[in-house]
Amino acid sequence: MSKNYKKHQAYIAGRDKMKVAVITGASRGIGEAIAKALAEDGYSLALGARSVDRLEKIAKELSEKHGVEVFYDYLDVSKPESVEEFARKTLAHFGDVDVVVANAGLGYFGRLEELTEEQFHEMIEVNLLGVWRTIKAFLNSLKRTGGVAIVVTSDVSARLLPYGGGYVATKWAARALVRTFQIENPDVRFFELRPGAVDTYFGGSKAGKPKEQGYLKPEEVAEAVKYLLRLPKDVRVEELMLRSIYQKPEY
């Protein structure tokens, strides 16, 4: 029996025990909360964001606290070459991945005619093309592992929001991407996670807002991700919308 064969068998055995999750926009907010939640469940992690210093701190904390392996690197999903490089390094490090959480996103708000071309293009690059690039980069690996792709959109991915039309348009489009990816790739499970207002720094706001103002906490969104990933492999949840009980129900 060759050494290479034994090495390959050991790798396969290790893969059966180790689950690897990729998370974009992982340096704070929902992405950071998901990273912490999955580390608690024993996932090895590949974290990407533009704030590498924050990623380094998170990686150290999770490795020491949960004993999981954490790879991190710079990632700007608005740049094709950045996504490709991050995916290349991640796959070289872990071999394959089981979960991809496309979480990176941004928003500019105001009347449609007040948005600048630059603002609209930036939202399209991150919220739409960033999702497409991320899933595309890891799709073959997810097919090999029978994995899961979770795309974090918003509760406005299927409704309208005055003074948020540009942001809403990108989330509707991202919703269409998720469904098309699912139809074309039935061997991978695609989940659209649709949180309502969340207490983060999103849109330039400050974190620490009272729950009574209608905001979920990032940790509550992360718990939903843990729930989705604990389901049997023959269960596909195509979308999950969650909002604070203090947020007005709008559809």
Side-chain angles (χ1 to χ4, degrees), residues 15-44:
R15 285 285 309 159
D16 288 341
K17 298 176 183 178
M18 177 184 70
K19 295 287 187 180
V20 179
V22 176
I23 304 169
T24 70
S27 61
R28 62 181 184 177
I30 293 174
E32 180 182 0
I34 292 174
K36 291 179 178 179
L38 296 190
E40 290 173 358
D41 272 10
Y43 279 83
S44 295

Side-chain angles (χ1 to χ4, degrees), residues 70 90 110 196 215:
V70 184
T90 298
Y215 291 91

Side-chain angles (χ1 to χ4, degrees), residues 19-148:
K19 295 287 187 180
V20 179
V22 176
I23 304 169
T24 70
S27 61
R28 62 181 184 177
I30 293 174
E32 180 182 0
I34 292 174
K36 291 179 178 179
L38 296 190
E40 290 173 358
D41 272 10
Y43 279 83
S44 295
L45 301 172
L47 308 180
R50 293 181 295 179
S51 303
V52 179
D53 289 346
R54 285 279 306 160
L55 291 179
E56 182 180 16
K57 180 181 177 181
I58 293 167
K60 182 179 180 181
E61 174 190 338
L62 298 183
S63 295
E64 292 177 352
K65 185 175 182 180
H66 301 290
V68 297
E69 185 175 1
V70 184
F71 166 82
Y72 66 92
D73 199 20
Y74 176 84
L75 172 63
D76 182 349
V77 299
S78 71
K79 303 291 190 292
E81 62 277 10
S82 181
V83 177
E84 292 167 4
E85 180 69 0
F86 176 76
R88 184 190 67 78
K89 290 180 178 179
T90 298
L91 295 173
H93 187 90
F94 287 113
D96 268 318
V97 301
D98 303 273
V99 178
V100 173
V101 182
N103 166 72
L106 63 84
Y108 293 106
F109 297 90
R111 295 176 63 91
L112 279 173
E113 68 269 25
E114 295 172 351
L115 286 177
T116 66
E117 286 276 341
E118 182 180 11
Q119 288 172 331
F120 216 141
H121 276 292
E122 191 175 355
M123 287 190 288
I124 291 170
E125 285 287 353
V126 175
N127 300 345
L128 179 59
L129 293 178
V131 169
W132 172 69
R133 293 177 184 123
T134 300
I135 300 301
K136 181 181 176 183
F138 289 100
L139 186 57
N140 285 336
S141 182
L142 290 174
K143 287 182 177 182
R144 287 191 292 269
T145 61
V148 176

